[in-house]
Amino acid sequence: VNEAYRHTRQDNFFKVRGVSLTNYIYDEVCEHRFLGNAQTIGLRHGMPLETGDGQMSSQITSGLRRELIFLVLQFLGEEGLSTTLHALEAESGLYFNQQYFERLILHGKWDELEKYLSMFTHLQDNRYSQKTFFEIRKQKFLEALDSKDKHLAVDILTKDLRVFKHNNEHLYLEMTSLLALEDFRENEHLANYRDAETAREAVRDVLQKLIQANPKFLNKLKFPALRESTLKSLIGQSRSFHRQ
């Protein structure tokens, strides 16, 4: 069966242009992991294994999908394709890139930060998520005030922060009162606020702890250990195999 399968793969190799790149790579991962097992044939193009155990088939397919995504993530990172890399991290929901998240904080990319975060958790999920979104929007509000952009500050207060009013109305009213001050540092609780850069570093530390404590990020904070350029090596080995 393996010999017949090898020849079949040789024929199909030259027809790969008619198959999507994702399906092609998926086939190569399947072959790499399961070659030597006649049931490999059932894995081609996501076909279920003929084991009579639907749950086992689903688990194997899911495991392969996960491995494939991590291989592609590694490849994108090595190639410097950062936009596509972070888009796949977010869309797959498999890996939350803390370094990328922290860079967005330190550069004040608040909208991009929330967009990335929202692919992994939502404000209503739990108290950790709620606190995370609040800290982001609060810092965004304070920076608008510090830059004397009252119009933006009002917009953030009424659209982004208003959702927290029912949890702590006193805090919301206190933040509203900051709009009337020439410098929000006149508020005793904000007297030690230096500048945006210093505040962002403090926010980064707070958010890092919240993310690590949040069960929504369980098993999503550590990238698996992979050999360098695994995907390239895998496809290279497959091509060498087909030429035999």
Side-chain angles (χ1 to χ4, degrees):
V1 174
N2 288 340
E3 183 64 16
Y5 178 60
R6 186 170 73 84
H7 287 301
T8 299
R9 290 296 292 135
Q10 284 180 316
D11 292 337
N12 288 341
F13 178 75
F14 297 102
K15 300 176 183 177
V16 70
R17 291 184 180 180
V19 181
S20 72
L21 177 61
T22 301
N23 282 341
Y24 171 64
I25 297 174
Y26 183 82
D27 288 349
E28 302 307 329
V29 173
C30 292
E31 179 174 324
H32 179 75
R33 294 190 61 204
F34 294 98
L35 193 63
N37 186 332
Q39 293 173 337
T40 304
I41 299 173
L43 281 170
R44 290 181 47 72
H45 299 298
M47 294 170 59
L49 290 170
E50 296 179 2
T51 60
D53 189 338
Q55 183 176 3
M56 180 179 293
S57 171
S58 176
Q59 289 175 347
I60 292 176
T61 302
S62 177
L64 284 171
R65 174 184 177 276
R66 179 184 177 86
E67 289 187 23
L68 173 57
I69 289 174
F70 276 117
L71 289 177
V72 175
L73 287 175
Q74 182 196 46
F75 170 78
L76 293 172
E78 290 174 343
E79 294 298 312
L81 302 172
S82 58
T83 301
T84 308
L85 170 67
H86 301 313
L88 181 57
E89 289 168 351
E91 190 170 358
S92 67
L94 291 179
Y95 177 63
F96 184 83
N97 193 321
Q98 294 184 86
Q99 291 183 334
Y100 172 62
F101 188 69
E102 291 172 9
R103 283 201 306 272
L104 292 177
I105 295 171
L106 296 178
H107 288 89
K109 304 289 186 180
W110 305 116
D111 293 337
E112 191 174 342
L113 182 72
E114 272 212 36
K115 182 179 179 181
Y116 185 75
L117 179 65
S118 296
M119 297 298 287
F120 295 88
T121 186
H122 299 95
L123 189 150
Q124 303 87 353
D125 283 341
N126 54 53
R127 62 189 181 93
Y128 299 104
S129 297
Q130 189 174 89
K131 176 69 171 173
T132 299
F133 280 99
F134 174 74
E135 291 296 331
I136 292 171
R137 297 176 184 183
K138 181 185 73 174
Q139 181 59 28
K140 183 179 176 182
F141 173 69
L142 292 177
E143 290 188 19
L145 287 176
D146 205 24
S147 62
K148 308 301 180 183
D149 191 339
K150 289 290 182 71
H151 178 75
L152 177 60
V154 170
D155 193 60
I156 295 170
L157 184 69
T158 56
K159 293 181 180 179
D160 296 338
L161 288 167
R162 189 176 182 83
V163 67
F164 301 101
K165 182 179 180 180
H166 70 282
N167 288 332
N168 194 329
E169 186 171 2
H170 175 74
L171 178 60
Y172 181 80
L173 292 176
E174 186 174 8
M175 296 182 74
T176 302
S177 69
L178 298 179
L179 294 168
L181 302 177
E182 182 65 26
D183 185 343
F184 64 79
R185 294 171 183 79
E186 296 173 27
N187 182 294
E188 61 178 336
H189 300 298
L190 297 169
N192 294 325
Y193 186 100
R194 292 174 53 189
D195 51 49
E197 288 71 24
T198 305
R200 289 172 188 174
E201 291 178 358
V203 170
R204 175 200 59 193
D205 295 341
V206 170
L207 296 186
Q208 185 180 57
K209 293 177 181 178
L210 288 169
I211 294 295
Q212 292 174 352
N214 194 332
K216 297 295 290 186
F217 295 88
L218 183 65
N219 299 324
K220 296 182 179 181
L221 300 179
K222 186 176 181 180
F223 199 88
L226 298 173
R227 289 175 299 179
E228 185 178 354
S229 303
T230 304
L231 185 57
K232 288 182 180 179
S233 299
L234 186 60
I235 294 178
Q237 291 170 12
S238 178
R239 286 179 173 176
S240 297
F241 173 79
H242 291 309
R243 294 191 185 102
Q244 295 176 5

